Amino acid sequence: MDFGLSREDKLFLDSVRAFAERVIAPRWVEIDERRLPIEEVAARLGEAGLLGIPLSSKYGGQDGTFLQAALAAEELAYADPSLATAVYMLLETAWPYVVQRYGREEVRGEVLPEVARGRAFIGIASTEPQGGSDVASVQTKAVRGDGGVWRLYGEKNMVTGVTTILNLPYGGGVVAITRTGRPEDRHRGITVFLALLKRRGRVSPGFSHRDWDEVGRHGLPTGYLMLEGLPVEEVFMLGELNGGFKVAMEGFNLARTIIGAASIGAARWLMDRALEWIRQRVVFGRPIASYQAVSFKFAELYARLEAARLAVYKAAWVADRHYGGDPAFSVQEVATAGASAKYLAVSLAVEVGLEVMKWFGGASYFKETNVARSLLGVLSYYVGAEGAENILKVIIARNVVGREFV
């Protein structure tokens, strides 16, 4: 077993870290306060080759690996622990890869290079007002019309980046999970489309939206999307008619691993701020680091963070093996590893954030210390987004114990 990075991965990590320290870290608070449009950051990420890392160079990607994408997400989250920048990047890892894997050639050739340049954004439209975890129960309908054009009707909630799409030069869209079969067909009646809300600078008709006022991660908007007959050409179908469930699940599997990496980066940032604080904060004549209640808890969190980090790296490694064609690694193993990575990393990052706030005491409640900004960003993935904690447990249990038992 080799727990080191290859020379190529080390060089890649060094370049991402240098970029993040130079471009992102000095402005992350400005990003979180929404004074710096995320679109400007997107352009810089594109210039640095950090969008669509695993995409083929044929479509403007880096021919990279999911391990490299995880390394990049971790470093971007360390530089911007509100997670806005890392979330932008990780979404543009998972869902464009799904488009490359299941999209038609003319779609791949048109849209993916724009994503890689930071001129277009691809999000995911899965959650609906009545629920999000049970993807097989989506109610949004896709109705086939004349001339090979489908029209989408329904409501999607918690859709990241619609405003961003409208502000980018090319635009982009969402991977929309829709029902094309009967409700009783469940997952066998699901079809996935790349639904462009803005294409080549022109906004599509047939939709409306509004952004939510989130408690954290303010740099990247999330909102509500009403589909009112949005036209989608059949060429933008991803995979086969009524065969979209597996397409969506693959995207979620990959996104969870990179979410885990971003959460590790934010937790590392919190731990480093805590280390500075507990060494210098003096109580009763001694630094609080000298008290075992603090130093032992720090040691525990440090050890668990290292373990969660390895779980994330392994999940990325498993994905690379599976998508690299190694028959020894199934898509089920990708799903289990990704769910495990997100479960361990996100829950630990939340615990780290709460503990660090206690060490900072009342000062942590001020925006100026910035500690709470990171905790609020991580909470977005703790309470949901690509699977809340109990859903991740269901995935792991079904894959390991067996679907017939769980």
Side-chain angles (χ1 to χ4, degrees):
M1 300 178 72
D2 186 354
F3 289 94
L5 296 174
S6 68
R7 181 176 181 276
E8 180 182 359
D9 289 338
K10 288 178 181 178
L11 291 173
F12 175 81
L13 178 60
D14 289 343
S15 68
V16 176
R17 183 172 293 157
F19 168 84
E21 290 175 350
R22 184 180 73 256
V23 176
I24 304 300
R27 308 185 74 178
W28 80 272
V29 173
E30 188 180 5
I31 293 171
D32 193 53
E33 293 288 346
R34 284 185 170 170
R35 292 191 298 268
L36 178 65
I38 197 72
E39 296 81 47
E40 181 179 328
V41 175
R44 299 299 299 274
L45 291 172
E47 292 169 4
L50 296 178
L51 298 177
I53 289 171
L55 293 182
S56 167
S57 55
K58 178 181 179 181
Y59 306 116
Q62 302 300 310
D63 293 317
T65 65
F66 287 104
L67 176 58
Q68 290 174 341
L71 295 171
E74 182 181 337
E75 289 305 316
L76 289 174
Y78 187 90
D80 173 10
S82 79
L83 292 189
T85 307
V87 169
Y88 189 106
M89 172 262 161
L90 73 87
L91 287 169
E92 301 316 276
T93 296
W95 298 107
Y97 186 78
V98 167
V99 173
Q100 175 178 280
R101 185 165 167 80
Y102 291 102
R104 277 55 166 181
E105 175 59 31
E106 53 264 54
V107 173
R108 297 195 296 259
E110 176 186 336
V111 180
L112 295 182
E114 300 289 352
V115 170
R117 294 168 62 192
R119 291 169 47 84
F121 180 85
I122 295 177
I124 171 66
S126 173
T127 300
E128 297 181 346
Q130 72 277 1
S133 298
D134 187 3
V135 174
S137 293
V138 296
Q139 297 180 17
T140 296
K141 294 181 180 179
V143 180
R144 193 198 302 265
D146 297 330
V149 175
W150 291 76
R151 293 194 177 271
L152 275 50
Y153 299 90
E155 301 172 89
K156 294 295 186 181
N157 201 2
M158 303 178 190
V159 181
T160 299
V162 174
T163 296
T164 303
I165 289 167
L166 299 179
N167 289 337
L168 288 171
Y170 176 95
V174 294
V175 174
I177 300 174
T178 70
R179 177 156 301 286
T180 48
R182 302 169 303 170
E184 56 267 32
D185 292 334
R186 299 279 292 165
H187 67 280
R188 295 182 181 86
I190 299 297
T191 302
V192 174
F193 295 88
L194 175 59
L196 295 184
L197 306 178
K198 181 180 177 182
R199 183 182 184 188
R200 297 170 177 158
R202 299 185 63 179
V203 178
S204 303
F207 77 93
S208 59
H209 86 288
R210 64 185 176 93
D211 291 337
W212 295 115
D213 188 7
E214 298 172 276
V215 299
R217 207 193 68 194
H218 299 119
L220 184 60
T222 299
Y224 167 87
L225 177 64
M226 172 66 80
L227 299 169
E228 303 158 326
L230 176 72
V232 181
E233 297 174 22
E234 187 154 337
V235 71
F236 285 90
M237 183 185 294
L238 302 180
E240 302 301 323
L241 180 65
N242 294 326
F245 185 78
K246 72 169 187 176
V247 176
M249 291 303 102
E250 287 193 48
F252 289 127
N253 293 342
L254 296 171
R256 288 174 185 134
T257 295
I258 314 303
I259 288 167
S263 301
I264 294 296
R268 277 180 45 217
W269 181 87
L270 284 163
M271 290 288 282
D272 284 352
R273 301 293 78 73
L275 186 59
E276 297 169 359
W277 178 262
I278 65 176
R279 284 171 170 172
Q280 69 183 22
R281 178 64 169 169
V282 175
V283 176
F284 301 118
R286 297 161 54 190
I288 63 173
S290 67
Y291 296 96
Q292 289 184 355
V294 174
S295 61
F296 278 21
K297 187 63 178 181
F298 183 93
E300 174 196 326
L301 293 174
Y302 176 87
R304 290 169 58 196
L305 184 59
E306 284 297 293
R309 195 179 189 186
L310 288 175
V312 169
Y313 289 177
K314 181 187 176 183
W317 178 83
V318 169
D320 283 326
R321 294 303 177 277
H322 172 73
Y323 289 105
D326 189 335
F329 295 89
S330 67
V331 70
Q332 185 180 52
E333 289 175 280
V334 176
T336 304
S340 300
K342 188 191 174 206
Y343 168 64
L344 291 170
V346 174
S347 59
L348 178 58
V350 170
E351 185 176 345
V352 167
L354 291 171
E355 198 66 36
V356 171
M357 287 188 72
K358 287 191 287 185
W359 293 337
F360 271 77
S364 68
Y365 207 63
F366 305 142
K367 280 189 173 183
E368 285 76 7
T369 61
N370 291 321
V371 174
R373 292 183 192 274
S374 183
L375 174 60
L376 291 174
V378 172
L379 277 173
S380 69
Y381 282 115
Y382 184 70
V383 297
E386 274 81 14
E389 189 173 273
N390 282 339
I391 292 300
L392 300 176
K393 292 178 181 178
V394 168
I395 293 169
I396 297 167
R398 282 180 175 174
N399 288 347
V400 177
V401 179
R403 296 185 69 88
E404 66 272 27
F405 297 103
V406 181

